Amino acid sequence: MTVLDLRDLPDFTANPYPYYAKLRAQGPVHQVRTEHIERLHLVVGYEEARSVLADQRFGKDWRTNERWSAPSNPINANMLELDAPHHTRLRRLVVREFTARRIEALRPRVTEITTELLDAMVPAGSADLVDALAFPLPMTVICELLGVPDIDRDTFRTLSNGVVTPTPAQREADVVGAMGAYLVQLIEGKRSSPGDDLLSALIRSRDEGGDGLSGDELVGMAFLLLVAGHETTVNLISNGVRSLLDHPHQLALLRADPGLLDGAVEEMLRYDGPVETATFRFTQEDVTVGSTVIPRGEVVLVALASGDRDPERFEDPDTFDIRRAPQGHLAFGHGAHYCLGAPLARMEARIAIGALLERCPDLARDPAGGDPDWLPGLLMRGVRRLPVRW
């Protein structure tokens, strides 16, 4: 099988979907090369992606893979990077505190923060929507939920961006080390001065058998909740608004019938979701995907964005249609690692986009905004800036 170098594909970062379509037409699994890995198996078909995401033969805990050295920083041993039974144990502990009731109780505060941000933004007549709304809303919500001090949020944004979408000038080890040190300090502060917040609750949490989170597990959990709790929602909001602005007829439909908003957010997730690929997996034994045998120990990457444009699953998948019923999309993953914060992300996106359209009835792209600055890498899908006017 030929190894395809994704770096050789022009404009792949800006618009990977035509390339994914060509790959799907050739088969559901392909060997590709990226900037950091010389060969991995990219899964592009919907059914195959869904199958891999739910198959425990594809491991996440790199400490058990003899071919790859496992990073020692505790943030790399978070729940997302663990397999059963360790993943099962940690998820059980956090689910006890990350309840539907706790999330629903945030609705008035999410609405209040959105109103405050729009009050500050709207009089100007133009803004970078990422800076003005898409970033500060989920960042404020997750920080308040976890109890992160206000003064630390700019620092955390820099560290989080460095881990998820590092620039060529950033050394991953340095950023990860700084993030780990930051979280250790944050947790120690919570131990000495606990509050009525999720992080304090996780420190206190014990199951019926008295099991709780260790120090390293708390660092990994805080990292996962803070980073996943805002990075994905930033791009859900900004990608969703971009999709609406790029499809004026769909925007007009939504303005005419705000009752379509919930379905519109699901279509935003399917059509151009915030996470392009799931995090890396590796085969713990020889596994057949489609007609391809992936040998034991090989790296596997599931292209969520490709699966959600698979015509075998979604009719006319390259059409943005807020009236479609896109149930079953992969934007939040599938299986044991399905996104714990999906209900919060959906709530924030619905409130933010609904309020934005109400407050800015003639919202449009700012023609003076320049070309999109796309996030690098294969993990996150989005832009650094979204200049708009009204």
Side-chain angles (χ1 to χ4, degrees):
M1 182 183 292
T2 302
V3 179
L4 173 68
D5 194 330
L6 296 181
R7 295 168 296 182
D8 292 339
L9 305 179
D11 300 322
F12 180 83
T13 301
N15 186 14
Y17 296 107
Y19 296 107
Y20 285 140
K22 291 178 182 178
L23 290 174
R24 285 194 308 271
Q26 298 168 25
V29 183
H30 297 268
Q31 289 188 16
V32 301
R33 180 182 296 113
T34 70
E35 183 178 356
H36 302 292
I37 299 181
E38 277 300 304
R39 187 188 69 208
L40 60 85
H41 297 262
L42 183 70
V43 180
V44 295
Y46 175 88
E47 289 298 339
E48 292 78 12
R50 188 177 169 92
S51 174
V52 169
L53 292 172
D55 191 335
Q56 295 191 17
R57 293 177 297 173
F58 294 88
K60 299 295 296 293
D61 189 347
W62 294 91
R63 296 171 299 181
T64 65
N65 188 325
E66 65 273 10
R67 291 180 56 185
W68 299 85
S69 59
S72 58
N73 194 297
I75 75 169
N76 294 109
N78 62 74
M79 187 169 64
L80 186 59
E81 304 300 327
L82 294 175
D83 301 318
H86 306 296
H87 168 267
T88 310
R89 169 182 161 266
L90 292 187
R91 189 164 180 119
R92 183 179 65 245
L93 285 168
V94 73
V95 163
R96 290 167 58 89
E97 303 297 339
F98 205 81
T99 61
R101 178 180 296 181
R102 186 189 284 269
I103 299 306
E104 184 58 31
L106 292 171
R107 184 178 297 276
R109 181 60 179 142
V110 173
T111 301
E112 181 181 30
I113 295 167
T114 301
T115 300
E116 292 171 355
L117 292 170
L118 291 176
D119 284 347
M121 183 186 91
V122 168
S126 65
D128 168 13
L129 195 70
V130 174
D131 245 13
L133 179 64
F135 169 76
L137 172 61
M139 188 78 243
T140 301
V141 171
I142 198 64
C143 283
E144 290 187 359
L145 178 63
L146 288 167
V148 178
D150 290 347
I151 196 171
D152 291 335
R153 294 178 192 177
D154 287 342
T155 300
F156 189 83
R157 181 184 188 183
T158 301
L159 291 173
S160 178
N161 289 344
V163 172
V164 176
T165 54
T167 65
Q170 291 173 309
R171 290 186 66 249
E172 183 179 0
D174 293 341
V175 179
V176 169
M179 174 68 84
Y182 172 87
L183 292 173
V184 167
Q185 185 179 20
L186 173 65
I187 290 167
E188 287 308 307
K190 284 293 169 189
R191 287 190 191 277
S192 60
S193 182
D196 185 23
D197 55 72
L198 180 58
L199 190 52
S200 297
L202 289 172
I203 292 171
R204 296 188 300 264
S205 180
R206 294 289 185 274
D207 66 11
E208 292 79 0
D211 184 27
L213 296 169
S214 70
D216 281 358
E217 288 168 347
L218 279 167
V219 171
M221 192 67 73
F223 166 75
L224 182 60
L225 292 175
L226 277 165
V227 172
H230 86 276
E231 290 279 2
T232 51
T233 310
V234 172
N235 294 311
L236 169 53
I237 294 171
S238 58
N239 288 358
V241 172
R242 278 195 305 105
S243 295
L244 287 172
L245 296 179
D246 289 346
H247 300 85
H249 178 64
Q250 297 296 306
L251 176 57
L253 284 175
L254 183 55
R255 288 195 182 282
D257 183 3
L260 294 171
L261 182 58
D262 286 4
V265 169
E266 296 308 305
E267 177 68 345
M268 294 167 191
L269 285 161
R270 182 204 69 83
Y271 179 78
D272 200 16
V275 182
E276 184 170 343
T277 64
T279 49
F280 292 114
R281 286 163 164 77
F282 63 90
T283 46
Q284 301 188 89
E285 59 184 76
D286 293 358
V287 184
T288 301
V289 179
S291 60
T292 301
V293 177
I294 305 178
R296 179 177 181 270
E298 291 287 300
V299 180
V300 177
L301 193 60
V302 176
L304 307 176
S306 177
D308 281 340
R309 295 283 190 104
D310 189 339
E312 295 294 320
R313 175 61 180 82
F314 300 101
E315 184 178 353
D316 199 10
D318 293 320
T319 296
F320 179 66
D321 181 3
I322 65 172
R323 292 172 297 185
R324 88 163 66 230
Q327 288 84 357
H329 65 68
L330 301 173
F332 290 120
H334 177 64
H337 291 281
Y338 183 82
C339 178
L340 188 68
L344 179 58
R346 284 185 166 106
M347 178 205 295
E348 292 179 82
R350 290 166 182 170
I351 291 172
I353 294 172
L356 174 68
L357 297 182
E358 182 180 348
R359 296 284 296 272
C360 303
D362 54 347
L363 184 72
R365 286 181 181 272
D366 187 343
D371 294 331
D373 182 9
W374 295 96
L375 295 175
L378 287 170
L379 179 60
M380 304 303 296
R381 169 84 184 145
V383 291
R384 297 190 190 278
R385 299 174 61 253
L386 181 56
V388 293
R389 67 179 186 180
W390 51 92

